[in-house]
Amino acid sequence: MHERTRVFLGVDVGSISTKGVIINNENEVLSSDYIWTEGNPIEATKQLIRSLQSGLDDGVAVTAVGVTGSARKLVGAMLGAQVTKNEITAHAVGTLSRYPQARTILEIGGQDSKLILLDGGVVVDYAMNTLCAAGTGAFLSSQAKRLGVRVEDMGAIALTSQSPSKIAARCTVFAESDMIHKAQTGHKKEDLIAGLCHAVAANYLNNLAKGKRLREPVVFQGGVSKNAGVVRAFEEETGFEILVDPNSHLMGAVGAAILAKEAGEESEFDFHITDVFFSTVAHECEGCSNRCEVVSFLKDGEVMDLWGNRCPKGAAVRHAADCAQRER
Amino acid sequence: MIIGIPKGLLYYRYEALWRSFFHTLKIETLVSQNTDYGLMAEGIRNTADESCLPAKIYLGHVRSLAGKCDYILVPRFDGTGKNEKLCERFFGMYDTVKNTFPGVRLLDYNLSSKGLHSEARGFVEMGARLGKHPFVSLFAYNQAKKTQKEQQAAQVRRQKKRLAAEGAKILLVSQPYVIHDTQLGKPLLQILKDLNITPVFSDDCDAAECVKASRKISKQLYWSMNKESIGSIPLLQNQVDGVILLTAYPCGTDSLVNEMVMRKVRDIPVIQILLDEQQGEAGLQTRLESFADIIAKR
């Protein structure tokens, strides 16, 4: 039998969308997909894996898996990943594979936004949104719904605007009431949408980039980078050229795949994972008044992993055994 | 007689002083338990919404001591020296507690920026309320001061040991009642431990040296506790790999001072971590892991 080509799987499970890529040794994307997480990272991952598999030819073998995103722990356990890495590092690695000179990465996802500053291909500083999800994809989605347009169309509509409405950028709750008010006084829809795009960019720069010096080249990625209106708003606000990769929404997954490739630990990934029954059971540990929310992760009713507990108290461990019993 | 000491806020600054003072006076003390979720929830229920989280936790500690002791020690602090202030919360805490738990008997002493021996006077007055002769109280105070100095020296020694450790080290710049609290700082310390990073604490530095060093960042600061915490940065920045500014929401003095630090301190990686009532640790994990990656790559 001839040797099959080694390829690498990267999965980025975000709050809103789940992204996956399969890359080859040269970091080229062989197969990719982008689907909605819809609050169920396990199902979304299975669907993603099926879709990625159908895009592959027989001559390849996935030999390492990397996972990132807010559900990385859960999905990492599910896929038996070699690498589970935080989003900052994964995004930086992914972007550097495309833009080795990049100095600034703007990233806006479903509920997180991040700013990553690089120097000589190394992350030197970062900022993440703190308590509120202001100015993220979730905000744009809900406003799109309110205005009766598809979120995917917002960018194109925004570009048709001649005079974007001025919408408060400090806080998205105020931005929303501002927008409703402007709509009721007769502003055109495209102007409102362009105004929203500006609010997102201004909010991001006010919150994350304050006190930090942005340097070119600037790369913009994450789901929101697909919105041309926000891209233009960033260009106008910063005065820089903003680079957006055709795969800008997949950079986290690409980074995870590269990290897996470089981990030096390989074993063939079994696509039959999609037929396995995975489940989680959340439970409040009553061992002490810390009330840890312990999550047990089960594969075909067998406890694979357990997290959320602050101490290794018996209750947590016992609970795991109980769960296993119950699922059988 | 038993004096209850809530394990929050100034406890982490004055533990040795207080315990030793009462010990010499042969008065029993009872320190409240470590903060846990239940105690914090109780504190949040009993505090105005806008209070900072450490103040809410403090009220939880007071509540947990109610009925278990004769007095609860809640001092009233205005400032620690000339042109030096503490957050107003320390000035108002006695009255906050008094009004929140009217049935609880409190023991207090005042510390103000006026007068040279105000701490000693405060202790003598506190002793008088407990029926102790001023000479006896003064003796106990002097003993307690010695114990406090010994404890501080031990902290500095502990710091040296940490700084001599192999591997990555991160300086945690924080109010002691945030970083050493089991509900606030401990999960963060656990994550650092899992990442094989040695924590170095700003409050284990010599306070006087810190105050002096803080002038390298700003000469205009007048919050004593912030001077002590940020002074550790110029003092130690050549011996650590990164700095975490740790604060609990919403801290007024930290929000101003940390912002300034992030703008002025440029030659070492600095991040701010803001803790709040939210229980999820995923965000904390992401931020710390990324920071660890940054310092590992440098």
Side-chain angles (χ1 to χ4, degrees), chain A residues 86 89 126 129 131 289-290, chain B residues 36-38 276 281 287 290 293:
Chain A
N86 64 78
T89 307
Y126 77 91
N129 57 335
L131 296 174
S289 71
N290 266 331
Chain B
D36 61 22
Y37 176 72
D276 71 344
E281 275 172 26
R287 284 162 178 81
S290 324
D293 284 346

Side-chain angles (χ1 to χ4, degrees), chain A residues 170-216:
Chain A
R170 194 79 202 118
C171 163
T172 44
V173 177
F174 294 139
E176 180 167 342
S177 41
D178 222 15
M179 189 196 78
I180 297 166
H181 173 74
K182 296 260 155 98
Q184 302 304 77
T185 57
H187 285 242
K188 278 193 269 177
K189 200 176 265 187
E190 63 263 30
D191 294 342
L192 289 172
I193 291 175
L196 279 176
C197 294
H198 266 277
V200 167
N203 184 299
Y204 178 96
L205 294 170
N206 282 336
N207 280 322
L208 295 186
K210 62 177 175 192
K212 300 204 191 294
R213 205 162 132 213
L214 308 188
R215 290 188 170 93
E216 286 189 283

Side-chain angles (χ1 to χ4, degrees), chain A residues 84-306:
Chain A
T84 53
K85 201 67 177 170
N86 64 78
E87 299 94 301
I88 305 270
T89 307
H91 274 280
V93 169
T95 305
L96 285 168
S97 74
R98 302 294 185 266
Y99 303 94
Q101 304 303 321
R103 300 289 302 271
T104 304
I105 301 173
L106 316 174
E107 203 266 346
I108 307 185
Q111 71 171 19
D112 267 347
S113 48
K114 308 172 196 76
L115 168 67
I116 306 173
L117 301 178
L118 305 127
D119 195 359
V122 174
V123 178
V124 288
D125 198 2
Y126 77 91
M128 265 177 99
N129 57 335
T130 48
L131 296 174
C132 75
T136 60
F139 168 71
L140 281 178
S141 303
S142 63
Q143 297 318 311
K145 207 167 278 171
R146 179 185 289 284
L147 293 169
V149 299
R150 292 190 330 142
V151 67
E152 295 90 331
D153 300 335
M154 283 181 104
I157 298 173
L159 292 184
T160 65
S161 162
Q162 295 301 314
S163 68
S165 309
K166 286 197 175 60
I167 291 176
R170 194 79 202 118
C171 163
T172 44
V173 177
F174 294 139
E176 180 167 342
S177 41
D178 222 15
M179 189 196 78
I180 297 166
H181 173 74
K182 296 260 155 98
Q184 302 304 77
T185 57
H187 285 242
K188 278 193 269 177
K189 200 176 265 187
E190 63 263 30
D191 294 342
L192 289 172
I193 291 175
L196 279 176
C197 294
H198 266 277
V200 167
N203 184 299
Y204 178 96
L205 294 170
N206 282 336
N207 280 322
L208 295 186
K210 62 177 175 192
K212 300 204 191 294
R213 205 162 132 213
L214 308 188
R215 290 188 170 93
E216 286 189 283
V218 181
V219 183
F220 178 27
Q221 61 199 40
V224 176
S225 68
K226 295 282 159 194
N227 181 324
V230 180
V231 177
R232 191 176 71 172
F234 267 125
E235 287 185 326
E236 287 172 8
E237 295 280 343
T238 61
F240 294 145
E241 184 197 356
I242 306 286
L243 304 168
V244 182
D245 192 83
N247 283 331
S248 64
H249 56 301
L250 299 174
M251 281 305 142
V254 170
I258 294 174
L259 288 165
K261 182 182 84 177
E262 290 168 354
E265 216 183 292
E266 295 191 4
S267 64
E268 188 168 349
F269 175 70
D270 183 3
F271 278 95
H272 290 106
I273 206 119
T274 52
D275 304 327
V276 178
F277 175 70
F278 291 102
S279 59
T280 53
V281 185
H283 147 95
E284 200 180 86
C285 173
E286 287 168 4
C288 73
S289 71
N290 266 331
R291 300 275 161 162
C292 295
E293 286 177 53
V294 184
V295 176
S296 311
F297 177 69
L298 303 105
K299 178 184 180 182
D300 282 334
E302 204 77 51
V303 177
M304 299 290 292
D305 205 348
L306 189 76

Side-chain angles (χ1 to χ4, degrees), chain B:
Chain B
M1 180 161 46
I2 302 175
I3 308 281
I5 302 180
K7 200 171 185 177
L9 298 180
L10 295 167
Y11 167 84
Y12 293 96
R13 231 174 122 87
Y14 293 105
E15 179 207 354
L17 186 70
W18 291 344
R19 281 216 218 205
S20 164
F21 176 71
F22 292 117
H23 178 76
T24 311
L25 292 180
K26 299 198 170 54
I27 295 172
E28 207 182 315
T29 51
L30 173 68
V31 176
S32 55
Q33 57 164 109
N34 284 334
T35 314
D36 61 22
Y37 176 72
L39 186 141
M40 181 173 86
E42 191 64 35
I44 291 170
R45 257 200 298 284
N46 281 294
T47 327
D49 220 20
E50 305 80 51
S51 289
C52 66
L53 188 52
K56 292 178 181 176
I57 287 176
Y58 186 80
L59 270 284
H61 281 282
V62 174
R63 176 82 181 73
S64 78
L65 285 169
K68 293 181 190 155
C69 48
D70 301 282
Y71 290 100
I72 298 177
L73 177 65
V74 184
R76 194 191 280 110
F77 277 21
D78 167 30
T80 48
K82 202 182 160 210
N83 297 331
E84 299 241 331
K85 294 287 274 180
L86 294 184
C87 168
E88 300 298 333
R89 213 166 284 290
F90 298 105
F91 192 43
M93 194 41 83
Y94 177 86
D95 296 292
T96 307
V97 172
K98 190 89 210 151
N99 284 294
T100 311
F101 307 113
V104 172
R105 281 211 294 177
L106 302 182
L107 181 67
D108 69 311
Y109 71 98
N110 295 344
L111 192 64
S112 87
S113 43
K114 293 164 207 108
L116 260 178
H117 301 288
S118 45
E119 190 178 66
R121 187 178 301 156
F123 275 79
V124 168
E125 283 169 9
M126 184 160 65
R129 287 190 50 196
L130 300 169
K132 302 289 174 189
H133 190 275
F135 286 154
V136 177
S137 298
L138 200 59
F139 174 75
Y141 170 73
N142 287 331
Q143 285 298 111
K145 254 341 218 191
K146 260 185 231 159
T147 313
Q148 189 187 26
K149 282 220 174 76
E150 280 160 21
Q151 199 213 18
Q152 283 162 350
Q155 277 178 283
V156 172
R157 281 198 298 276
R158 185 173 72 182
Q159 184 85 304
K160 282 217 177 92
K161 229 163 112 188
R162 287 215 159 91
L163 286 168
E166 295 280 318
K169 289 175 277 287
I170 288 183
L171 173 63
L172 294 161
V173 177
S174 161
Q175 301 301 345
Y177 53 79
V178 175
I179 186 62
H180 299 301
D181 187 279
T182 45
Q183 190 72 17
L184 295 176
K186 202 180 167 201
L188 178 136
L189 292 176
Q190 185 58 48
I191 297 174
L192 289 183
K193 197 176 161 198
D194 295 343
L195 293 167
N196 284 324
I197 290 172
T198 307
V200 177
F201 300 95
S202 59
D203 62 308
D204 280 348
C205 294
D206 181 82
E209 273 182 48
C210 277
V211 169
K212 218 164 104 194
S214 74
R215 292 174 64 83
K216 286 192 186 142
I217 299 178
S218 168
K219 293 192 173 76
Q220 269 109 37
L221 267 188
Y222 54 84
W223 288 300
S224 327
M225 293 174 71
N226 286 93
K227 277 194 197 177
E228 288 174 15
S229 61
I230 68 163
S232 62
I233 302 174
L235 220 51
L236 296 177
Q237 70 177 37
N238 294 326
Q239 299 175 66
V240 296
D241 303 284
V243 176
I244 294 179
L245 305 171
L246 183 71
T247 177
Y249 185 80
C251 178
T253 61
D254 279 359
S255 69
L256 290 166
V257 176
N258 288 355
E259 191 59 46
M260 179 190 72
V261 168
M262 282 190 286
R263 283 162 196 249
K264 288 199 167 179
V265 176
R266 288 286 181 194
D267 25 16
I268 184 163
V270 180
I271 53 160
Q272 171 168 247
I273 295 220
L274 180 67
L275 301 170
D276 71 344
E277 289 163 32
Q278 274 184 5
Q279 287 294 298
E281 275 172 26
L284 188 61
Q285 184 96 34
T286 300
R287 284 162 178 81
L288 292 176
E289 268 181 30
S290 324
F291 194 59
D293 284 346
I294 289 176
I295 63 172
K297 288 228 172 96
R298 269 169 74 102

